[in-house]
Amino acid sequence: MRFVGKVALVTGGARGIGLGIAQRLASEGAAITIADIDVEAGARAARNLNDEGATAIAVACDVADPSSTDAAVRKAAAEWGRLDVLVANAGLHVQGYTKPACELPWEDWRRMLDVNVLGVVNSARAGRGPMARSGGGVIVTIASMAAYKGENAYGVSKLAVNGLTVALAKELAAEGIRVCGVAPGLIGSEEIMARFPAHRREQYINHTQLIRRLGKEEDIANAVAYLASDEASFVTAETLLVTGGAFCRI
Ligand SMILES: NC(=O)c1ccc[n+]([C@@H]2O[C@H](COP(=O)([O-])OP(=O)(O)OC[C@H]3O[C@@H](n4cnc5c(N)ncnc54)[C@H](O)[C@@H]3O)[C@@H](O)[C@H]2O)c1
């Protein structure tokens, strides 16, 4: 129970990896705010968490919009009186963005960068004040193994997230805020199961990963819980790859 008395906000926490993270932090005692653009799904996720004995609220939030993100974080901080952990998880998926950089429509490039990159900036800007007033905190960004491949708008956006993890860690250290990242590999979230055919998943698992199983939301939640906990109090500016050994590198 590493988060008793702590307050956590998860962007994009209504489903998938974000929901897994919210469930995990709640199971260790954190009060949870689900901040999602899908208001209905966010409310449903918070209701389910409360039914399971957690303490959770949902707030509307479009991380691409600074005023929406500010309002969501302010609402959460007012509800709980503090903010200890902010997980910048909300992000658009690779599938719609695999076209070559020179061919992807301009508005798709814009939306990708607005959500995946500026969404992290907006979240950090909004969370910084309440965290500093709580005596410090932890921001965990969710990047992707795609950051390491040098391909397409999605990969570029996630490489920028890795850069932000370091830049924000340097900027916010003096306020007692650590900033770490998790870069997931192939995780069997609803979205991936729906869009990634079974034969492609199998091929990927057997030919790219060292650990021959599909990644689970809990695998990412475990890594986030470690980085957000006091066990990682000497760790900042680091991104942890959780990929089953895909794309090993030194
Ligand atoms: N699933 C994977 O295999 C995988 C791999 C690597 C990285 N990731 C990253 O993990 C994160 C979560 O992925 P997932 O698979 O759970 O995705 P998902 O699509 O299942 O869930 C994303 C959630 O974010 C919300 N969201 C989308 N845009 C938003 C916005 N502008 N503001 C607030 N909320 C918004 C959605 O409503 C949804 O609830 C993303 O950043 C994704 O890039 C996922």
Side-chain angles (χ1 to χ4, degrees), residues 103-114:
E103 290 168 27
L104 186 73
W106 181 244
E107 56 278 14
D108 290 350
W109 257 111
R110 260 261 121 78
R111 183 71 188 154
M112 172 55 75
L113 297 179
D114 280 348

Side-chain angles (χ1 to χ4, degrees), residues 11-19 35-38 41 61-65 88-94 111 115-116 142-146 154 158 182-192 217:
T11 69
R15 63 170 67 78
I17 290 174
L19 179 57
D36 205 288
I37 199 167
D38 185 339
C61 175
D62 176 0
V63 295
D65 175 355
N89 161 78
L92 299 175
H93 261 277
V94 64
R111 183 71 188 154
V115 176
N116 284 18
I142 302 297
S144 170
M145 67 182 164
Y154 178 77
K158 292 301 190 178
V182 175
L186 185 64
I187 304 299
S189 62
E190 220 178 287
E191 184 76 13
I192 289 290
E217 281 126 348

Side-chain angles (χ1 to χ4, degrees), residues 47-107:
R47 241 187 346 265
N48 289 341
L49 281 170
N50 287 323
D51 288 347
E52 288 156 16
T55 319
I57 60 165
V59 295
C61 175
D62 176 0
V63 295
D65 175 355
S67 52
S68 164
T69 312
D70 254 346
V73 173
R74 244 184 292 115
K75 210 166 163 192
E79 174 79 19
W80 307 117
R82 58 184 296 119
L83 181 63
D84 303 285
V85 177
L86 189 155
V87 186
N89 161 78
L92 299 175
H93 261 277
V94 64
Q95 276 80 3
Y97 300 88
T98 50
K99 283 198 181 134
C102 293
E103 290 168 27
L104 186 73
W106 181 244
E107 56 278 14

Side-chain angles (χ1 to χ4, degrees), residues 23-226:
Q23 286 167 331
R24 178 58 199 268
L25 297 178
S27 76
E28 293 207 46
I32 301 291
T33 301
I34 305 272
D36 205 288
I37 199 167
D38 185 339
V39 178
E40 251 176 56
R44 199 167 43 244
R47 241 187 346 265
N48 289 341
L49 281 170
N50 287 323
D51 288 347
E52 288 156 16
T55 319
I57 60 165
V59 295
C61 175
D62 176 0
V63 295
D65 175 355
S67 52
S68 164
T69 312
D70 254 346
V73 173
R74 244 184 292 115
K75 210 166 163 192
E79 174 79 19
W80 307 117
R82 58 184 296 119
L83 181 63
D84 303 285
V85 177
L86 189 155
V87 186
N89 161 78
L92 299 175
H93 261 277
V94 64
Q95 276 80 3
Y97 300 88
T98 50
K99 283 198 181 134
C102 293
E103 290 168 27
L104 186 73
W106 181 244
E107 56 278 14
D108 290 350
W109 257 111
R110 260 261 121 78
R111 183 71 188 154
M112 172 55 75
L113 297 179
D114 280 348
V115 176
N116 284 18
V117 182
L118 294 180
V120 175
V121 177
N122 293 333
S123 302
R125 285 164 85 127
R128 167 193 195 173
M131 278 187 176
R133 287 191 287 281
S134 307
V138 189
I139 296 172
V140 184
T141 63
I142 302 297
S144 170
M145 67 182 164
Y148 304 89
K149 293 203 264 180
E151 285 171 6
N152 65 50
Y154 178 77
V156 169
S157 77
K158 292 301 190 178
L159 185 55
V161 171
N162 285 356
L164 274 170
T165 301
V166 176
L168 291 168
K170 287 180 182 172
E171 270 183 48
L172 302 181
E175 293 167 33
I177 299 170
R178 292 189 295 111
V179 186
C180 293
V182 175
L186 185 64
I187 304 299
S189 62
E190 220 178 287
E191 184 76 13
I192 289 290
M193 299 307 268
R195 294 211 203 191
F196 223 91
H199 72 276
R200 280 191 57 208
R201 290 200 302 269
E202 285 308 310
Q203 194 184 25
Y204 185 88
I205 289 165
N206 292 324
H207 297 286
T208 312
Q209 295 179 189
L210 300 179
I211 298 169
R212 306 241 192 273
R213 70 162 171 82
L214 186 62
K216 297 182 280 192
E217 281 126 348
E218 299 94 278
D219 295 316
I220 306 308
N222 287 339
V224 170
Y226 161 66

